[in-house]
Amino acid sequence: MKRTHVALLLLVVVFFLGCEGNLTQPRISEPQLNESLTGFLAKDPVIVAKLDSIIPSGTKYGLPDDTTTYTATGGEQIPAGGWVENDKDLSYEIHIYSEMKVTFGNLDSVTIDYPTNLDYLNDSETWVSLTTSKKVGAKAVRTGIFGGATLTQSGFGTYEEDSEE
């Protein structure tokens, strides 16, 4: 293959990947998410977290711009602006993706497993970088680009996109 063909092919691949955005965050269009969206040109919501496939009873979640409370059955994808909690104070596991922030109602005990490019906000209002699995008291957790983790928590959490680093 000629160098110009290889260069052109590489340029096309880079352009395609650049147009696709962040490849670590899935974008979905589930029926219940579509019901909560208004407007003709609404884009698919960015998924920032996913509930584990096995979750305890009492786990509920909500979608942005939707007042309905949904009962989680496991594996639900949480869009930016969504929330999750367990009304029986049982711990549930949620997988978080890159460039997102979860805020807890107050200082919450959270187990963070497999952290990658992750910080948590401690009780002194200081962002602390975490590189190994640990149980922490956190007011919030955020991930940077290519970040992620698995959180085990029981309290209320809101999930947002977060591009500040």
Side-chain angles (χ1 to χ4, degrees), residues 51 55-61 70-73 84-88 90-92:
L51 282 165
I55 55 167
S57 65
T59 304
K60 311 276 186 207
Y61 69 98
Y70 296 95
T71 300
T73 58
V84 179
E85 75 174 328
N86 185 284
D87 59 13
K88 297 179 181 179
L90 298 174
S91 295
Y92 58 89

Side-chain angles (χ1 to χ4, degrees), residues 87-128:
D87 59 13
K88 297 179 181 179
D89 277 338
L90 298 174
S91 295
Y92 58 89
E93 200 169 273
I94 190 160
H95 308 278
I96 58 175
Y97 300 119
S98 71
E99 297 184 294
M100 63 82 53
K101 180 179 180 181
V102 56
T103 305
F104 307 110
N106 50 19
L107 186 65
D108 205 358
S109 179
V110 180
T111 301
I112 303 172
D113 289 313
Y114 316 111
T116 304
N117 197 6
L118 179 137
D119 300 321
Y120 70 93
L121 187 64
N122 66 14
D123 58 349
S124 301
E125 300 290 326
T126 303
W127 286 103
V128 178

Side-chain angles (χ1 to χ4, degrees), residues 2-129:
K2 292 183 179 182
R3 288 183 186 172
T4 55
H5 289 136
V6 172
L8 184 59
L9 181 61
L10 184 59
L11 181 65
V12 169
V13 169
V14 168
F15 180 75
F16 176 77
L17 291 176
C19 291
E20 288 299 310
N22 186 352
L23 297 179
T24 61
Q25 287 181 326
R27 295 181 183 270
I28 63 162
S29 181
E30 291 182 7
Q32 65 192 33
L33 290 178
N34 286 337
E35 290 173 15
S36 70
L37 296 175
T38 58
F40 180 72
L41 297 176
K43 67 178 188 173
D44 290 343
V46 174
I47 301 304
V48 293
K50 182 179 179 182
L51 282 165
D52 197 53
S53 59
I54 300 172
I55 55 167
S57 65
T59 304
K60 311 276 186 207
Y61 69 98
L63 303 173
D65 303 322
D66 186 353
T67 58
T68 306
T69 297
Y70 296 95
T71 300
T73 58
E76 285 83 3
Q77 295 179 329
I78 307 302
W83 58 266
V84 179
E85 75 174 328
N86 185 284
D87 59 13
K88 297 179 181 179
D89 277 338
L90 298 174
S91 295
Y92 58 89
E93 200 169 273
I94 190 160
H95 308 278
I96 58 175
Y97 300 119
S98 71
E99 297 184 294
M100 63 82 53
K101 180 179 180 181
V102 56
T103 305
F104 307 110
N106 50 19
L107 186 65
D108 205 358
S109 179
V110 180
T111 301
I112 303 172
D113 289 313
Y114 316 111
T116 304
N117 197 6
L118 179 137
D119 300 321
Y120 70 93
L121 187 64
N122 66 14
D123 58 349
S124 301
E125 300 290 326
T126 303
W127 286 103
V128 178
S129 180

